[in-house]
Amino acid sequence: MQTIKQNDIEDDQVLQNINKEQYSELFIVPNHQISILSRNSVDKLQVNIQSSISKFKQLLIKAKDITLQNHLNDDQYKTAVQVVQVASIGLMQVMKINELLENKVLTVEQSVSCQKILCTIDQLNKYSTNLVLDYMNHIILEKVLELLNQFEILEKEQKRTLAIYLAKLQSCNEILPGATIVKQDDLFAIAPDHQDWQMINAFIEKKQLASNEQIKNSYDKVTFGVLLGNAMISKGLEYNGELKKAFMEGFGALYYGLNKKKMKSRANHFLAKAKQEDAFRAWNLTETGIIKRFLPAIFPSISFNKKIYIPKLFTQITKAYILEQYKEGKINKINNDLNIFFPDELISLDNLLENDLNQDRVQVRILCYETLKFKCVEGFMSMFKNDISKEYNFDKIIIHIHGGGFVAMSSRSHQTYTRKWANNLRVPVFSIDYKMAPDHPYPEGLDDCWQAYMFIITFIQKFFNVIPQKVVLVGDSAGGNLVAALTIQAIKAGVRVPDGILLAYPALSLDMKIFTPSFLVSLDDSLLHHTVLKLCLNSYVQKEFNQTIDPMISPSIVSDEILKCFPKIRIVVGTYDPLHDESFRLLLRLVKLKKDVKLIEYQSMPHGFLSFDIINGMKEATQTVIDAQNYLFEMLN
């Protein structure tokens, strides 16, 4: 992400002379945040503060006038009230920061209204604070003011635009308190020649797969499908009855497919105000309906594609288990607390292959370039028999955990690349279909991954010609979070740790109070949209859990005691990704602990790129799948 050069903006008058569309485009050119300081100088912080205060006050005056004039018009009245609410919070926050800089004491009324700006002047990080204010002041407030000044004559599309920008302003209000308390020595608040950057640069490989413009055009093709799906669902929501909804969704797909501008407006408006169930339904379009039926046409061929249904035979990671560890202060420590037990009899192979809906099982998809051989299970004593026979046994495996914000997608939709890995690396890939939020929040999905992992490394050789001497875990996005959390749990519990892990654009911090500059990308990203991102986090992490102390929710806060026991770790991430920064913070910690770690940073690439290596997808994504494959090969060998 790239911010506007502050030297180009001397005051608000200059800004008003800039074409708004050009200005917005300048801001969102994807690039690495390392050069933030050179573009966003601290001496402009006071300018941004005063300008923001002025604009917030203008918004409040205008919004209050609108409420008086439209008290009988319910929709317009509600919009104006929303402006008042959001602008009031924003104003008090900025005034609080201004008071800190001027060493003044806030009044009681201001302190109550300022909403969580609790830092002292010594704690205030001027760089990260200015970054948020710069975006909010020049991009969002300008647009909201422009629209409010024409409120009485706004057309439908403009009203949608106003709702979109108010949602952005709300998100900025929510992240500003975190920006004020970023540590002064944080990677994204220090200069590029700082010793910490110099230390980790040797472990980073930067790859430019194409020009920024080419990548943007390729990503536009991918997001076209995403936006179209959101627009058609939004259209269907206007009607009652499943038949009408389905018909209008189909009509919406045709209509908006031919009108990209309206499609984008409709989709972004839907995302800005989406309810949880509707937003997640849009994310799950590849798993339902006609898209699900035709998706296999783009999958590579594979010889062996079989589902197994794993019973839960090991100590479970439950809510009670997690809360007890909170209470005892053990959540971020090595406990060696796993009680491993062996059943009197293992389930039969037929039972493992059967989806028994009456039992709590974990579905796992096995992919392999050749058909695995089935074995019989003769009971408990068979565990002690010599399994090594003349037949060929696979001694290396990959365990994959898919992404989807903890709420969507499956091993099925990720076969666009997992099948390629299975074929090219010639090893079995076990892809876990964990239960998902909001019906199954943390730690249920993690427990599914844990049960599957423990079963595979302990018992899989009893059912197939697989004796896993080398095990590598790989996960993307939310799956990256679960891979890291699973590794942490293995270390904590004192069981076999995987031989290597690959994290693709992982969600390493689920604490919205922890600010990172790359979050600003989500304000303009159709795929990992800021409102949907918040819905995902709220669905996965319930109120009784604490993402500020729990490393299995936010792996980037894992203790050094556990982190120094990590296996080889490889990370791939793009610069145009809301989750970009946390991977670098983890990288720094791993390097300081002298761990075997490497990271590829793809310039201008978006979140989710592994899944875009498809027909009519992103041609640049092909290399990312190959690079990840090479990392897997390295760790397996």
Side-chain angles (χ1 to χ4, degrees):
M1 183 190 67
Q2 181 176 346
T3 54
I4 288 180
K5 294 180 180 179
Q6 290 289 340
N7 292 337
D8 294 341
I9 305 171
E10 294 302 327
D11 52 40
D12 285 346
Q13 187 59 47
V14 175
L15 178 64
Q16 291 169 9
N17 294 331
I18 298 176
N19 179 279
K20 299 297 189 298
E21 289 188 9
Q22 289 179 336
Y23 193 96
S24 181
E25 285 300 315
L26 280 171
F27 193 95
I28 304 301
V29 172
N31 212 322
H32 190 277
Q33 284 79 19
I34 188 65
S35 53
I36 281 174
L37 297 186
S38 64
R39 297 192 299 268
N40 201 326
S41 57
V42 177
D43 60 3
K44 295 295 182 183
L45 176 58
Q46 195 59 248
V47 175
N48 272 325
I49 287 174
Q50 296 305 322
S51 181
S52 296
I53 289 174
S54 173
K55 288 169 186 171
F56 273 126
K57 288 180 176 179
Q58 292 177 58
L59 281 181
L60 287 170
I61 293 171
K62 185 64 181 176
K64 288 175 181 177
D65 288 342
I66 293 171
T67 58
L68 294 174
Q69 297 167 10
N70 295 275
H71 63 279
L72 298 178
N73 187 318
D74 194 46
D75 288 340
Q76 292 185 332
Y77 182 81
K78 285 182 179 178
T79 299
V81 169
Q82 183 186 3
V83 174
V84 170
Q85 292 171 337
V86 177
S88 296
I89 293 172
L91 176 61
M92 291 300 103
Q93 287 182 332
V94 180
M95 288 178 66
K96 166 67 173 177
I97 296 168
N98 189 51
E99 299 282 4
L100 284 173
L101 290 173
E102 295 181 354
N103 290 315
K104 293 181 180 178
V105 179
L106 281 175
T107 65
V108 173
E109 181 182 358
Q110 287 174 324
S111 297
V112 171
S113 304
C114 70
Q115 297 269 320
K116 302 179 183 177
I117 301 286
L118 301 175
C119 67
T120 64
I121 183 61
D122 293 331
Q123 294 171 325
L124 180 67
N125 190 308
K126 297 178 181 179
Y127 292 118
S128 52
T129 300
N130 192 46
L131 181 64
V132 178
L133 289 179
D134 187 53
Y135 185 98
M136 184 166 65
N137 182 33
H138 297 306
I139 302 298
I140 302 176
L141 293 179
E142 279 290 319
K143 191 66 177 179
V144 175
L145 264 176
E146 175 192 319
L147 292 167
L148 277 192
N149 286 330
Q150 307 170 46
F151 191 79
E152 301 299 333
I153 58 172
L154 289 183
E155 297 178 354
K156 191 174 185 179
E157 294 299 318
Q158 292 172 309
K159 289 179 180 179
R160 287 177 178 168
T161 300
L162 177 58
I164 292 167
Y165 275 83
L166 285 176
K168 291 183 182 184
L169 185 57
Q170 175 64 35
S171 287
C172 281
N173 284 346
E174 292 168 0
I175 64 174
L176 184 57
T180 64
I181 57 173
V182 170
K183 292 180 180 179
Q184 304 295 340
D185 61 351
D186 183 77
L187 269 178
F188 299 96
I190 57 177
D193 58 355
H194 189 279
Q195 62 180 6
D196 284 350
W197 278 110
Q198 298 303 310
M199 184 187 305
I200 66 174
N201 278 339
F203 300 86
I204 301 170
E205 180 182 2
K206 297 185 179 184
K207 283 198 171 186
Q208 185 77 50
L209 300 176
S211 68
N212 289 348
E213 188 62 27
Q214 285 175 304
I215 293 175
K216 181 181 183 301
N217 291 337
S218 292
Y219 188 45
D220 284 345
K221 289 195 298 183
V222 172
T223 56
F224 173 82
V226 175
L227 291 169
L228 182 59
N230 285 313
M232 58 184 272
I233 287 178
S234 176
K235 186 66 178 176
L237 290 173
E238 293 180 351
Y239 298 86
N240 296 320
E242 293 305 313
L243 190 60
K244 276 188 177 180
K245 282 185 178 182
F247 176 80
M248 293 311 298
E249 283 180 6
F251 171 78
L254 179 63
Y255 174 75
Y256 290 115
L258 298 173
N259 193 326
K260 291 185 180 180
K261 187 175 180 180
K262 288 190 175 182
M263 174 195 71
K264 188 172 183 179
S265 172
R266 178 98 194 204
N268 285 331
H269 180 255
F270 165 74
L271 290 169
K273 307 185 76 171
K275 294 180 180 178
Q276 178 179 283
E277 60 188 52
D278 299 326
F280 296 166
R281 181 167 165 244
W283 266 30
N284 263 315
L285 281 176
T286 56
E287 306 290 337
T288 58
I290 193 169
I291 298 178
K292 178 180 180 180
R293 188 171 301 175
F294 286 103
L295 196 60
I298 67 173
F299 291 158
S301 61
I302 193 81
S303 294
F304 188 84
N305 182 1
K306 183 73 68 175
K307 294 177 185 176
I308 59 174
Y309 302 89
I310 291 176
K312 296 191 171 184
L313 303 179
F314 299 89
T315 303
Q316 294 190 31
I317 304 173
T318 62
K319 178 192 292 188
Y321 169 83
I322 296 293
L323 295 180
E324 183 65 22
Q325 291 218 331
Y326 287 178
K327 183 178 178 181
E328 296 178 0
K330 295 180 178 179
I331 194 63
N332 212 348
K333 296 180 180 179
I334 297 176
N335 306 317
N336 296 313
D337 63 349
L338 181 73
N339 298 315
I340 298 179
F341 68 93
F342 295 105
D344 292 334
E345 289 188 9
L346 282 178
I347 63 173
S348 68
L349 178 60
D350 288 341
N351 195 235
L352 186 68
L353 297 173
E354 179 187 2
N355 186 11
D356 188 344
L357 299 177
N358 295 318
Q359 297 188 45
D360 185 12
R361 301 284 189 88
V362 184
Q363 177 179 295
V364 176
R365 182 187 302 274
I366 309 177
L367 302 171
C368 193
Y369 78 98
E370 69 174 29
T371 301
L372 294 182
K373 295 180 180 179
F374 299 113
K375 292 183 177 181
C376 295
V377 179
E378 301 171 358
F380 176 71
M381 292 306 296
S382 67
M383 295 174 55
F384 302 100
K385 291 184 178 180
N386 185 357
D387 284 298
I388 301 177
S389 62
K390 293 181 180 180
E391 71 178 14
Y392 176 75
N393 291 293
F394 289 96
D395 62 354
K396 302 168 185 175
I397 65 170
I398 294 168
I399 299 178
H400 168 261
I401 305 178
H402 71 82
F406 306 101
V407 300
M409 307 184 78
S410 70
S411 68
R412 183 180 186 277
S413 52
H414 285 66
Q415 290 179 90
T416 54
Y417 62 87
T418 53
R419 287 191 180 194
K420 292 176 183 176
W421 292 344
N423 285 331
N424 296 336
L425 293 169
R426 304 179 79 78
V427 298
V429 174
F430 293 79
S431 194
I432 302 172
D433 281 306
Y434 54 91
K435 290 189 289 293
M436 292 181 289
D439 295 334
H440 302 281
Y442 174 81
E444 293 186 49
L446 175 59
D447 180 59
D448 281 353
C449 296
W450 170 250
Q451 298 294 331
Y453 172 75
M454 291 300 297
F455 184 92
I456 291 168
I457 64 174
T458 308
F459 295 128
I460 202 64
Q461 65 194 57
K462 304 300 169 186
F463 300 92
F464 300 100
N465 59 320
V466 176
I467 305 176
Q469 301 300 314
K470 281 284 185 75
V471 179
V472 172
L473 304 186
V474 53
D476 66 291
S477 194
N481 173 286
L482 290 168
V483 161
L486 181 56
T487 304
I488 290 168
Q489 175 61 17
I491 294 169
K492 277 166 53 70
V495 302
R496 176 180 174 179
V497 177
D499 298 282
I501 62 175
L502 171 60
L503 307 178
Y505 34 89
L508 294 175
S509 174
L510 304 189
D511 186 355
M512 287 294 294
K513 295 187 293 295
I514 304 300
F515 172 73
T516 176
S518 61
F519 176 83
L520 293 175
V521 172
S522 71
L523 297 174
D524 291 275
D525 190 4
S526 301
L527 180 66
L528 205 57
H529 194 273
H530 61 109
T531 56
V532 180
L533 186 59
K534 290 184 286 185
L535 288 174
C536 291
L537 298 185
N538 291 334
S539 297
Y540 182 62
V541 184
Q542 302 297 292
K543 291 181 178 179
E544 57 263 55
F545 297 107
N546 189 341
Q547 56 266 59
T548 64
I549 65 169
D550 189 340
M552 292 187 292
I553 297 177
S554 296
S556 61
I557 64 167
V558 64
S559 66
D560 282 354
E561 175 193 18
I562 296 173
L563 193 60
K564 68 183 180 182
C565 299
F566 260 52
K568 291 182 180 180
I569 178 169
R570 302 292 181 260
I571 306 171
V572 292
V573 67
T575 59
Y576 192 64
D577 182 350
L579 305 185
H580 168 278
D581 297 347
E582 208 64 32
S583 289
F584 285 77
R585 288 170 172 161
L586 179 64
L587 175 66
L588 176 61
R589 295 188 61 203
L590 289 163
V591 169
K592 286 183 175 180
L593 290 172
K594 298 183 173 13
K595 300 303 297 180
D596 185 344
V597 59
K598 296 177 184 177
L599 182 148
I600 297 177
E601 181 191 53
Y602 296 103
Q603 307 305 298
S604 303
M605 287 294 281
H607 186 81
F609 50 71
L610 289 178
S611 295
F612 302 155
D613 180 24
I614 55 176
I615 299 171
N616 292 323
M618 288 188 74
K619 60 183 180 181
E620 297 83 8
T622 301
Q623 185 60 48
T624 70
V625 174
I626 294 172
D627 289 340
Q629 177 180 292
N630 291 338
Y631 269 161
L632 292 170
F633 179 82
E634 173 196 345
M635 290 187 286
L636 287 168
N637 293 278

